[in-house]
Amino acid sequence: MKNILVTGANGLLGTNVIHALVAAGYNATGLLRRKDSFRGALSCSLKLVEGDITSQADVMRAAAGCDAIIHCAACTSQKAGMKTYYDVNPGGTRNILEAAKELGIRRTVNISTANIFAYGSLEHPGDESGESVPPFSESGYVLSKLAAQECLKEYSKYVETITLCPTFMLGPYDSKPSSGRIILMGYRKRLMFYPPGGKNFVAVQDVARCAVSALTKGVPGTAYIIGGENMSYKDFFRLMSERTDNKCLMFKIPECMLKAIGRLGSLIENKLNIPNEFNAANMEMLCIGNYYGSDRAAKELGFSCRPVSEAVDEAIGWFRKEKYIKE
């Protein structure tokens, strides 16, 4: 196994997976819509191929000559419509699996989300044993990721698939930016309003290394939650304040206010057909302690995570370098 196709090559995880593959001695082929959108390190071990994950022909062309696939491409937007979620997430997954079947590629690593499983508390974090629950199971993104899991079952006779389910990833090369918006939102603010819930934060480079490990260590048909530290939003923004030597006054947003905003956002979405990130499900998510553990991944894949503070530092350093942050 030497040549690995990485979809979503210009995304936060895809870029870091490519770096991890090259560092481990693999050749990587990165599938992305435009080559000039790749912000990672170029290498003689990397080939970039332009194409769209929703095009079967593009996926087949990119996968030719590859021994395995790490499928990172996804629509993760909080305000996409259901058609977009399903075209990209289960639709793109089916294209990957069909290409693997036709080309004789035996193994894929599929990237999903921890929220396809039930979250837990700080004392009893969620694991792979519980099915997704509201409000996450009502999210278009999570529903589309669950549909992608059904595609994996359909092709299980032809393709060995290991599913990695990361929590909230932070780190360098977040060029959209995606999850890094939370860092830009809180960077050196003098006044910070934070929601009452929390989530699990993980360094993207740790997830990338785990994806490479899954190529050889993962058990086919198995899903692994890949998480780091469980933190309340208050503790996360306090950590950011400490890492940037910034004194910040912090105020909690009342849960009732967030839910009222969510009802209005859903009304706009349903009545005016305008998808938005302020819908009821998204606002309720901010009120929940969305916590997970990664015992299975640690035991079977050798996964380990660094402190969230390191991921925050790496993300801030990259945002500064790329001029997303102006001092």
Side-chain angles (χ1 to χ4, degrees), residues 89-207:
N89 295 342
T93 299
R94 185 176 295 278
N95 286 341
I96 286 295
L97 294 168
E98 187 63 28
K101 177 185 174 184
E102 292 299 317
L103 296 170
I105 299 171
R106 190 61 186 157
R107 176 159 289 210
T108 67
V109 176
N110 177 61
I111 307 301
S112 187
T113 170
N115 290 133
I116 67 170
F117 298 108
Y119 63 87
S121 63
L122 287 171
E123 296 78 15
H124 301 286
D127 59 22
E128 296 88 353
S129 64
E131 295 182 356
S132 184
V133 295
F136 300 97
S137 59
E138 298 167 351
S139 148
Y141 170 62
V142 174
L143 286 169
S144 67
K145 282 297 191 178
L146 288 168
Q149 292 302 111
E150 294 302 312
C151 293
L152 302 184
K153 294 177 184 177
E154 290 179 36
Y155 284 80
S156 61
K157 289 190 292 186
Y158 313 104
V159 185
E160 296 177 349
T161 302
I162 296 91
T163 298
L164 302 188
C165 302
T167 57
F168 195 79
M169 296 180 287
L170 295 173
Y173 302 101
D174 192 2
S175 57
K176 289 184 179 179
S178 54
S179 53
R181 289 171 58 199
I182 194 172
I183 289 177
L184 298 177
M185 182 175 66
Y187 182 75
R188 298 191 68 82
K189 293 293 192 299
R190 295 298 183 186
L191 189 62
M192 189 69 218
F193 294 91
Y194 64 90
K199 62 174 59 181
N200 184 289
F201 298 87
V202 65
V204 68
Q205 291 172 334
D206 295 342
V207 179

Side-chain angles (χ1 to χ4, degrees), residues 216-285:
T216 55
K217 294 183 179 180
V219 177
T222 303
Y224 300 88
I225 292 173
I226 312 296
E229 290 185 53
N230 292 310
M231 303 177 71
S232 68
Y233 289 112
K234 179 180 182 180
D235 286 343
F236 177 79
F237 286 117
R238 182 184 290 130
L239 170 67
M240 270 199 61
S241 182
E242 292 170 355
R243 303 307 291 182
T244 55
D245 296 319
N246 177 55
K247 291 184 178 179
C248 177
L249 292 175
M250 300 179 66
F251 298 93
K252 182 167 71 174
I253 305 171
E255 182 174 333
C256 59
M257 180 181 295
L258 286 171
K259 290 184 175 180
I261 293 170
R263 288 192 292 272
L264 178 59
S266 288
L267 183 65
I268 292 171
E269 199 167 82
N270 297 330
K271 297 295 185 182
L272 302 180
N273 196 27
I274 302 175
N276 66 86
E277 59 187 311
F278 301 104
N279 58 54
N282 287 343
M283 293 300 100
E284 190 171 346
M285 289 177 197

